[in-house]
Amino acid sequence: MSYDPPRPAGRLLLTPEDREAPARTRRLRRLGLGERPEAVLDAFADRLAERTVAPYAMVNFLDDKGQFFAGLHTPGRDVLTVDADGTRREVGRHLARDHGFCPHVVVRRKALVLEDVCDYPRFAGNPVVDEFGIRSYLGAPLIDGTGMVLGTVCVVDVEPRPWGRDGLETIKASAAELVGWLERRGSEGFLL
């Protein structure tokens, strides 16, 4: 696996190089995914949050420019943290490519379980840790029938979480369920 060069700030995290991003971007556009929120994907994220008892859940599509949460579940308020000066850090639909852990899942092509991101120097320096207070992550890739990784399904928490084997099985099953649904919709000629 190759990586982009380290950032000038000297972060320990290296965002993986995503050689499939241009092809993925074209595929997502053909499928009509990754450019607008989808009510059905928001509902999927709601169910995923409920299954995992996580405050945040996402259906994330990654293109050559960044990440887009086409499905998003947040608690009653859309705030992860409030800074000492009162600045609210809100969860949005867009995230830079070097933020979060989904780019790693996409390049690795397999699930990633981080019960406490601070236990992993490579991940503890990620901007979402300091900017949003993310402390745990559980995500799996959305690999379609062509072998293309379209994005991820993931859940995060602001507290360390013992996701365990049950969490891993849940996120992988959820990814498979969503890929099946996306493919059925695509084969029927409907765009989401």
Side-chain angles (χ1 to χ4, degrees), residues 6-7 19 43 47 67 69-70 74 87 111 118 120 139 142 144 149 151 155 162 167 173 190:
R7 292 175 177 64
R19 292 191 175 126
R47 289 189 307 276
Q67 304 176 65
F69 302 126
T74 62
T87 304
C118 294
Y120 303 89
L142 297 170
D144 72 7
V149 180
V155 292
F190 296 105

Side-chain angles (χ1 to χ4, degrees), residues 25-42:
T25 300
R26 290 188 299 274
R27 178 114 170 92
L28 288 170
R29 297 308 171 260
R30 280 194 307 273
L31 294 171
L33 296 170
E35 294 185 300
R36 65 186 181 284
E38 302 285 347
V40 69
L41 296 178
D42 282 342

Side-chain angles (χ1 to χ4, degrees), residues 42-184:
D42 282 342
F44 184 89
D46 291 342
R47 289 189 307 276
L48 182 58
E50 185 177 314
R51 283 182 208 147
T52 59
V53 192
Y56 300 91
M58 296 83 144
V59 174
N60 187 9
F61 296 112
L62 290 81
D63 63 17
D64 55 0
K65 301 211 181 351
Q67 304 176 65
F68 181 73
F69 302 126
L72 179 63
H73 171 86
T74 62
R77 54 184 173 74
D78 287 349
V79 178
L80 282 171
T81 62
V82 177
D83 292 343
D85 66 359
T87 304
R88 293 167 46 117
R89 300 280 186 191
E90 296 188 11
V91 175
R93 296 274 180 173
H94 295 274
L95 196 61
R97 177 142 163 50
D98 66 345
H99 282 54
F101 311 106
C102 290
H104 296 271
V105 171
V106 166
V107 171
R108 289 166 35 111
R109 304 177 64 85
K110 62 182 187 177
L112 178 62
V113 179
L114 300 171
E115 294 183 344
D116 186 343
V117 298
C118 294
D119 288 343
Y120 303 89
R122 177 173 181 209
F123 296 112
N126 193 285
V128 298
V129 176
D130 292 334
E131 291 178 27
F132 297 112
I134 299 297
R135 287 295 300 274
S136 66
Y137 173 89
L138 177 64
L142 297 170
I143 303 174
D144 72 7
T146 70
M148 173 76 60
V149 180
L150 300 175
T152 66
V153 293
C154 68
V155 292
V156 298
D157 201 336
V158 295
E159 301 291 332
R161 289 283 302 267
W163 301 110
R165 179 159 300 283
D166 287 343
L168 178 61
E169 289 173 6
T170 298
I171 201 73
K172 288 167 67 174
S174 296
E177 174 188 341
L178 184 56
V179 166
W181 186 84
L182 292 171
E183 289 183 333
R184 282 191 304 279

